[in-house]
Amino acid sequence: TPPSRAGMAYSLRTLGYLNMRAGEYPLGLSQLLQALELCESLHLEGALADVLDGIASIQVEIANYPAALETAQRQLAVAQRIDDKLRIANAYNNLAVIYHDTGDIARSQETQLANLQLARAIGHVRIECMAHINVSDTYYLDGDCATALEHAFAGLDLCRLHGFGIFAIYALHLIGKSYVGLARAPEAVTHLEEAVVLARRLAPIPTEAFVLVTLGDAYRSMQQFDQAREYLNQGIAVAGAHNNNFELARGHQLLSTLYEELGDSSQALAHFKQHHACKELATRERTDLRLKVLQVTYDTATARKEAELAHLRTVELQAALDEQARARAQLRELNDQLEQQV
């Protein structure tokens, strides 16, 4: 019945989103695609926008950016159609991430600034905080560390005021990176050390590794090589414990640079080789994940087509049966008429 189908749609949406957040992308996508079909057929517009949000996020994770862009644009269109400001903001955030990851930093920045204004207009503090942090990252990548610092501090203020602990780690990390970019490494160290403490308190959330690696780089920029080596090795150890090959690659790359500055070419070369090995592993993992997710997409699309064909065959069969029934009725009527004439 429609109520039970609607309940199934909402349940699949929630399960898919939770599995997406937990990193179970193939399972999450399978559930979200099932929810998508139900939401479309039942015209559940709000749930449809949420489902598209989850699907776009998974597509970004596997770097399928053309599909992610199409999904996020559709998500935005649905959210705008029902004039849901919160869902519009979520769609803008997805679009900004896609622009960011595909190298269109200016457009990502523009989208995040628009999202910042929208979040303030609707009074949604969490999205306002996220927008400050995300736009800070775009300014950092664009080389404008001063403006990046302003937005990172604005995000951090909101984190402290409203208790957004995880967001605070990212804000502190951006503050640290921006200070390093401004050649103010001692101030970077202060904020990065605060981020490390917060990341450890919020364990097992795996944010500690990238903060430790950046902290090691900050000490390296001050030529305090012992502290730099200690923090880089800590970051590599934490990254290894979480199978984070991306941060392992970054940590080994920075250790290679450090040893090169110390004139130890043997160690520099060893870490450079480890950097490339970890980078290849990270690429292979993403490729494997992408194949698994794409297989789910293909299987779901195939099952949907088969269901549509089966439905079509059922309709055609029923039409043929109805035609036979009409023919039999006409034949009976003709027989009755003949018997009456006789």
Side-chain angles (χ1 to χ4, degrees), residues 21-337:
R21 293 293 299 271
E24 297 291 340
Y25 301 123
L27 176 58
L29 182 63
S30 175
Q31 292 163 333
L32 288 168
L33 289 172
Q34 293 176 66
L36 178 65
E37 184 175 357
L38 288 168
C39 290
E40 288 174 332
S41 63
L42 297 171
H43 305 291
L44 304 174
E45 297 279 72
L48 177 59
D50 297 339
V51 168
L52 292 168
D53 181 19
I55 292 172
S57 299
I58 292 173
Q59 289 166 336
V60 167
E61 285 297 327
I62 64 169
N64 189 1
Y65 294 113
L69 180 60
E70 181 181 346
T71 304
Q73 288 172 337
R74 188 179 171 201
Q75 175 195 354
L76 177 61
V78 172
Q80 289 175 332
R81 187 162 62 236
I82 59 176
D83 195 28
D84 188 315
K85 299 294 191 297
L86 177 56
R87 288 184 167 105
I88 289 171
N90 286 336
Y92 277 142
N93 187 64
N94 277 341
L95 287 168
V97 170
I98 294 163
Y99 298 144
H100 175 284
D101 288 0
T102 53
D104 194 346
I105 303 303
R107 196 168 185 186
S108 176
Q109 193 176 98
E110 177 186 340
T111 307
Q112 288 291 2
L113 287 170
N115 221 18
L116 181 58
Q117 292 179 348
L118 177 59
R120 287 170 175 164
I122 64 176
H124 202 291
V125 180
R126 181 182 64 83
I127 292 177
E128 182 182 355
C129 179
M130 284 176 58
H132 272 302
I133 293 170
N134 289 335
V135 82
S136 170
D137 193 35
T138 65
Y139 277 111
Y140 174 80
L141 290 172
D142 208 25
D144 187 351
C145 292
T147 308
L149 201 59
E150 291 176 15
H151 282 283
F153 269 118
L156 182 61
D157 288 343
L158 290 172
C159 289
R160 287 172 169 164
L161 186 61
H162 298 279
F164 300 145
I166 298 173
F167 291 167
I169 297 170
Y170 290 99
L172 288 163
H173 183 242
L174 276 162
I175 289 168
K177 289 201 302 182
S178 299
Y179 272 134
V180 170
L182 292 168
R184 295 163 62 179
E187 291 164 284
V189 165
T190 300
H191 291 87
L192 290 168
E193 287 180 341
E194 183 182 348
V196 170
V197 171
L198 189 56
R200 287 172 175 166
R201 183 160 61 82
L202 293 175
I205 299 165
T207 52
E208 184 184 354
F210 67 78
V211 178
L212 285 166
V213 171
T214 303
L215 181 56
D217 191 36
Y219 274 112
R220 185 194 61 78
S221 71
M222 293 190 294
Q223 295 190 324
Q224 295 185 24
F225 296 119
D226 289 339
Q227 293 95 324
R229 184 165 43 223
E230 179 184 347
Y231 281 114
L232 288 171
N233 281 321
Q234 285 183 33
I236 286 170
V238 173
H242 288 96
N243 296 314
N244 186 341
N245 283 305
F246 177 82
E247 285 304 325
L248 281 169
R250 193 166 75 99
H252 283 297
Q253 183 182 33
L254 288 170
L255 272 176
S256 176
T257 303
L258 182 149
Y259 280 113
E260 187 178 355
E261 291 174 351
L262 289 172
D264 190 337
S265 57
S266 176
Q267 284 288 344
L269 180 59
H271 283 287
F272 186 72
K273 288 180 178 178
Q274 286 180 285
H275 156 70
H276 273 286
C278 293
K279 189 176 179 180
E280 286 179 8
L281 276 174
T283 301
R284 195 179 310 149
E285 285 173 355
R286 172 167 271 196
T287 300
D288 290 344
L289 177 60
R290 181 170 185 168
L291 289 173
K292 289 177 183 177
V293 170
L294 290 176
Q295 185 64 48
V296 169
T297 305
Y298 173 79
D299 290 344
T300 303
T302 301
R304 187 170 186 173
K305 286 180 181 177
E306 289 175 351
E308 289 172 353
L309 287 172
H311 175 70
L312 182 59
R313 285 194 293 269
T314 300
V315 170
E316 291 173 345
L317 178 60
Q318 187 61 52
L321 291 172
D322 292 343
E323 182 61 31
Q324 288 178 5
R326 282 194 296 270
R328 283 194 297 269
Q330 289 173 354
L331 183 59
R332 281 195 302 269
E333 184 179 350
L334 181 59
N335 285 333
D336 291 343
Q337 290 174 357

